[in-house]
Amino acid sequence: MAQQGAALQNYNTELVKCFEELCSKRDELNMQIVKQEREKVKLQNDIRLLTEKLCVVNESLACKLAARNDFNRTITETEAAYMKILESSQTLLNVLKKEAGNLRKSADQRGYSKMTLHRE
């Protein structure tokens, strides 16, 4: 019976040792869980802050894109108006040259010389 008591004592010692190891592993795992939960909270806060910042950037970008579109429209309209002015100027110049030529021909036919037209 002494042998059985000694065996029982050994089993009990081993059982306590295994139990303490399990508790130690649980405590270690619990510390890792707490650490990861803190990291999760931090990451969630970072995501919230970045999401807010992204909203601000998107709003600013939308305003700037709209302004750029306004600039592009104004530039296009101005270029078109300027081209019309150039075309009108060219047409006016052509008409003026034609009329000046007609006036010269008419003056030449009437016998006026260039000198007569430019009196002092």
Side-chain angles (χ1 to χ4, degrees), residues 90-112:
Q90 183 64 44
T91 302
L92 179 60
L93 180 60
N94 290 340
V95 169
L96 183 60
K97 285 180 179 180
K98 183 178 177 182
E99 288 299 316
N102 290 342
L103 286 174
R104 274 191 226 110
K105 285 181 188 175
S106 177
D108 288 345
Q109 288 174 354
R110 291 186 185 153
Y112 295 116

Side-chain angles (χ1 to χ4, degrees), residues 2 5 10 13-14 19 22 24 35-37 50 52 56 59 63 86 93 98 102-103:
N10 286 341
T13 303
E14 242 182 274
F19 183 76
L22 287 174
S24 176
K35 182 179 176 183
Q36 283 187 336
E37 285 176 340
L50 288 171
E52 290 172 4
V56 170
E59 289 173 10
C63 290
L86 286 178
L93 180 60
K98 183 178 177 182
N102 290 342
L103 286 174

Side-chain angles (χ1 to χ4, degrees), residues 45-59:
N45 188 49
D46 290 348
I47 289 170
R48 183 185 57 79
L49 293 173
L50 288 171
T51 301
E52 290 172 4
K53 188 174 181 178
L54 179 61
C55 286
V56 170
V57 168
N58 280 337
E59 289 173 10

Side-chain angles (χ1 to χ4, degrees), residues 1-28:
M1 180 105 162
Q3 268 185 332
Q4 290 175 342
L8 188 59
Q9 183 64 31
N10 286 341
Y11 293 147
N12 188 41
T13 303
E14 242 182 274
L15 181 63
V16 169
K17 183 180 173 186
C18 285
F19 183 76
E20 287 174 351
E21 285 177 13
L22 287 174
C23 288
S24 176
K25 287 182 180 184
R26 181 199 61 191
D27 291 344
E28 184 180 319

Side-chain angles (χ1 to χ4, degrees), residues 77-88:
E77 290 172 359
T78 303
E79 286 174 339
Y82 183 71
M83 291 307 293
K84 286 181 183 179
I85 290 169
L86 286 178
E87 290 170 7
S88 296

